[in-house]
């Protein structure tokens, strides 16, 4: 596709439920990032993939958060036992290769936990 | 880790005036400093970036300056237009790292 695609664009769930957020990066981009953006804040790093492997997951807040990228393209961010504090916009970004410059962001998945 | 601070949090200017947004960073090993623009409900988009081997970079009405000694960098927008209204984020990345650390954003409003 022309850009980074994220689904769903909006997700409302109840506290304690499981949620999956999907990211389809720009074709050919080997680096993929997940960020979380709370209201009035800048994007906060969660996890970075180079190819299929999670090269840096130091930003994941706790073990309820997990992400996969099994074929080196589409990635899924998984959140277990959601809490109200998980409510935010989850942004995915990709880049052609690591550490070289511009991140291309998707429009995000807005998660609301009631 | 890196800590990026950004000021001001909001900025209003008259159309045609200049706008300046300032950021400081803590990690002297940071060497890449991009600026992203995010319109309401839209994705962040890169508008300009600078690497630590240069002190200033311009692209039409926007420019970025970098002072490595003081660990601060600034975004300058001249001849502002209403379509410049958005939230602007600065960011920094360490040499050899993959992660960008973002500032908290500046909401710029250009008044026609």
């Amino acid at each position: 596709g022309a850009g980074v695609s994220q689904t769903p664009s909006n997700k409302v769930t109840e506290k304690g439920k499981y949620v999956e957020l999907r990211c389809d990066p720009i074709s050919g981009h080997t680096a993929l990032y997940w960020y979380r953006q709370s209201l009035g804040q800048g994007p906060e790093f969660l996890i970075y993939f180079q190819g299929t492997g999670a090269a840096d997951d130091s930003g994941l807040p706790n073990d309820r958060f997990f992400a996969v990228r099994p074929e080196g393209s589409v990635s899924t961010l998984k959140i277990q036992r959601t809490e109200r504090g998980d409510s935010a916009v989850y942004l995915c970004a990709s880049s052609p290769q690591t550490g070289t410059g511009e991140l291309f962001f998707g429009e995000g998945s807005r998660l609301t936990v009631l | 880790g890196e800590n990026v601070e950004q000021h001001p949090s909001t900025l209003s200017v008259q159309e045609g005036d200049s706008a300046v947004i300032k950021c400081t960073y803590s990690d002297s090993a940071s060497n890449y400093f991009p600026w992203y623009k995010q319109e309401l409900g839209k994705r962040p988009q890169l508008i300009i970036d600078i690497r630590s081997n240069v002190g200033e970079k311009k692209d039409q009405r926007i420019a970025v300056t970098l002072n490595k000694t003081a660990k601060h960098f600034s975004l300058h927008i001249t001849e502002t237009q209403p379509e410049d209204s958005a939230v602007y984020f600065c960011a920094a990345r360490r040499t050899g790292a993959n992660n960008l650390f973002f500032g908290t954003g500046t909401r710029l409003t250009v008044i026609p």
Side-chain angles (χ1 to χ4, degrees), chain B residues 6-7 13-16 21 31 35 39 50 57-58 61 63 78-79 89 91 93 97-98 101 107 109:
Chain B
Q6 184 170 347
H7 301 280
V13 298
Q14 291 290 332
E15 182 177 358
I21 303 170
N31 70 338
W35 287 87
E39 297 178 8
I50 192 168
K57 183 177 178 181
K58 289 184 179 180
R61 294 187 298 108
T78 59
E79 301 172 23
F89 293 98
R93 183 170 64 209
N98 305 294
F101 289 89
R107 180 174 299 280
T109 302

Side-chain angles (χ1 to χ4, degrees), chain A residues 23-84:
Chain A
C23 172
D24 197 347
I26 293 172
S27 178
H29 281 195
T30 57
L32 185 146
Y33 305 77
W34 283 99
Y35 282 81
R36 176 169 69 176
Q37 187 174 24
S38 300
L39 192 63
Q41 299 296 314
E44 174 192 6
F45 170 75
L46 296 177
I47 187 169
Y48 155 72
F49 288 89
Q50 179 59 36
T52 59
D56 183 352
D57 64 357
S58 61
L60 294 178
N62 51 61
D63 61 6
R64 296 186 298 106
F65 288 75
F66 188 71
V68 295
R69 193 185 185 199
E71 298 178 357
S73 179
V74 170
S75 176
T76 304
L77 178 66
K78 307 181 180 191
I79 310 174
Q80 298 178 323
R81 305 184 303 279
T82 51
E83 300 178 356
R84 292 193 180 88

Side-chain angles (χ1 to χ4, degrees), chain B residues 10 51 55 62 72 74-75 91 102:
Chain B
T10 60
R51 298 183 187 274
I62 59 173
H72 66 70
S74 300
L75 178 71
F102 285 85

Side-chain angles (χ1 to χ4, degrees), chain B residues 52-66:
Chain B
S52 60
N53 57 339
V54 297
E56 183 176 3
K57 183 177 178 181
K58 289 184 179 180
D59 183 2
Q60 299 183 342
R61 294 187 298 108
I62 59 173
V64 57
T65 59
L66 171 64

Side-chain angles (χ1 to χ4, degrees), chain B residues 87-105:
Chain B
V87 179
Y88 290 81
F89 293 98
C90 63
R93 183 170 64 209
R94 295 184 64 198
T95 305
N98 305 294
N99 175 26
L100 282 177
F101 289 89
F102 285 85
T104 51

